[in-house]
Amino acid sequence: MSAMDTEGTVLAAAQGLLIIGPLAVGVVLVAVLVGVVWWGRRKRQQQPPPPLPEEQPRLPDSGPVHEVREHREPNELPPSEHRLTPHELKRTNGS
């Protein structure tokens, strides 16, 4: 074997690693993606099925419920140096 043949062999081996490396990464990536899809399908099968049309929520007999709008006067706080904490505030109808 001459020096030229060994250099060619080393270059061929390096090129082989350049091909095998990305190929191995691609195979691992595909395996991970297949595993994730399999795991997701398995999890989805464990969930209850979607409700039937008869089980869907319905409007009450009285019709749709509308929101109530109120106009309330603001509960002004007197100016002071002391900062009030939430438990020191007056209770309102909403809470």
Side-chain angles (χ1 to χ4, degrees):
M1 245 186 167
S2 68
M4 236 223 254
D5 288 337
T6 53
E7 286 178 16
T9 306
V10 171
L11 287 175
Q15 285 179 346
L17 288 177
L18 289 176
I19 293 172
I20 292 174
L23 182 64
V25 170
V27 168
V28 169
L29 183 63
V30 167
V32 167
L33 290 174
V34 167
V36 167
V37 168
W38 172 79
W39 182 71
R41 289 186 60 138
R42 202 170 135 223
K43 284 292 191 184
R44 186 155 189 181
Q45 287 176 347
Q46 293 173 352
Q47 295 177 351
L52 299 173
E54 305 87 47
E55 299 171 339
Q56 295 289 333
R58 297 182 43 208
L59 281 175
D61 293 334
S62 61
V65 179
H66 299 285
E67 71 179 70
V68 177
R69 294 187 180 256
E70 297 178 330
H71 178 70
R72 296 191 287 180
E73 293 296 324
N75 191 1
E76 295 287 334
L77 296 175
S80 71
E81 296 288 325
H82 175 68
R83 182 176 177 171
L84 294 177
T85 58
H87 70 276
E88 294 174 319
L89 296 174
K90 295 178 189 175
R91 292 188 61 83
T92 61
N93 293 339
S95 59

